[in-house]
Amino acid sequence: GESVGLHLPTLSVQEGDNSIINCAYSNSASDYFIWYKQESGKGPQFIIDIRSNMDKRQGQRVTVLLNKTVKHLSLQIAATQPGDSAVYFCAENGSGGGADGLTFGKGTHLIIQP
Amino acid sequence: NAGVTQTPKFRILKIGQSMTLQCTQDMNHNYMYWYRQDPGMGLKLIYYSVGAGITDKGEVPNGYNVSRSTTEDFPLRLELAAPSQTSVYFCASSQQVYEQYFGPGTRLTVT
């Protein structure tokens, strides 16, 4: 079946370095993608989204890149801070327009080394 | 605004017991969702609602029921709890379809 997945379950980076979290998707009908951050014991928190008519979108210290050719999504976090430690999920809208929620990947655990 | 609130935070059930997980949002969102998250996994959609009086099944609805009598509330009912329902349950709401706001979750253990 079609699914959203992540390349690496755990990513360890030095504080101050840039982090890149990757996500592969297989549903070519998806036209909307979101990155969520989930801290331990909390619900997912929206970080940034991107539509399929865009290649790049920037927020505060975060950038999302979308490569539709290879069905790849990435989240870049600049100057990683201890507060960035969390599990990061990518999600897609699956059938492309339905209200039946999002399809989530398994998540990447970002660990910040002091 | 409190956002999305969920009660209880934790619960232990015996097999065969029933319970209702409460979810309330104060953002006047039309869309509401229930997800479950198993350890080390992403979220799976159980049920969703596009407005008061309208509910629909998600990816994993078996063993659950929902209702949506008001815009604010979207309770999730477990009638006969089973160990396979041990999970963390998240409620979410959104005004647009996709930018969903999540509650803090309910950690349920069925033994």
Side-chain angles (χ1 to χ4, degrees):
Chain A
E2 300 200 47
S3 64
V4 175
L6 294 167
H7 293 309
L8 295 173
T10 302
L11 177 65
S12 183
V13 299
Q14 292 291 128
E15 182 178 348
D17 287 351
N18 297 335
S19 302
I20 300 176
I21 301 171
N22 296 304
C23 179
Y25 67 95
S26 57
N27 189 339
S28 57
S30 294
D31 63 1
Y32 182 79
F33 304 88
I34 303 179
W35 280 100
Y36 279 92
K37 172 185 180 182
Q38 186 175 23
E39 296 175 274
S40 181
K42 297 184 179 180
Q45 178 184 7
F46 174 89
I47 303 173
I48 192 168
D49 58 2
I50 188 168
R51 292 197 177 276
S52 60
N53 61 352
M54 303 171 69
D55 297 322
K56 179 180 180 179
R57 191 161 187 226
Q58 288 185 293
Q60 187 176 9
R61 277 203 310 120
V62 295
T63 301
V64 56
L65 299 177
L66 176 62
N67 186 330
K68 295 179 287 293
T69 302
V70 296
K71 296 178 185 172
H72 183 267
L73 190 70
S74 69
L75 176 71
Q76 300 179 4
I77 304 173
T80 311
Q81 302 169 358
D84 295 327
S85 287
V87 177
Y88 290 82
F89 293 94
C90 64
E92 59 173 334
N93 67 337
S95 58
D100 53 342
L102 299 165
T103 300
F104 286 81
K106 293 184 180 180
T108 292
H109 187 192
L110 179 63
I111 299 171
I112 312 303
Q113 303 284 358
Chain B
N1 286 350
V4 179
T5 57
Q6 292 182 238
T7 57
K9 285 185 168 52
F10 304 93
R11 184 73 186 267
I12 299 174
L13 283 181
K14 294 188 185 302
I15 296 171
Q17 287 185 320
S18 62
M19 78 165 293
T20 299
L21 283 68
Q22 301 292 344
C23 176
T24 300
Q25 54 94 5
D26 62 359
M27 297 173 282
N28 202 33
H29 286 167
N30 288 323
Y31 299 95
M32 294 189 75
Y33 313 83
W34 274 106
Y35 293 91
R36 60 176 287 171
Q37 184 177 34
D38 297 326
M41 303 293 288
L43 292 93
K44 292 188 181 296
L45 183 67
I46 305 171
Y47 270 95
Y48 66 99
S49 169
V50 302
I54 306 170
T55 63
D56 211 339
K57 296 178 180 178
E59 182 183 357
V60 290
N62 291 344
Y64 308 94
N65 279 300
V66 293
S67 59
R68 184 93 183 272
S69 57
T70 66
T71 299
E72 294 78 19
D73 300 306
F74 190 41
L76 178 71
R77 179 82 177 164
L78 283 72
E79 290 294 350
L80 292 170
S84 62
Q85 293 178 305
T86 294
S87 190
V88 181
Y89 292 84
F90 289 101
C91 178
S93 73
S94 63
Q95 183 57 35
Q96 305 289 332
V97 172
Y98 303 126
E99 187 173 337
Q100 298 179 18
Y101 294 84
F102 284 81
T106 293
R107 186 175 297 273
L108 176 66
T109 302
V110 182
T111 61

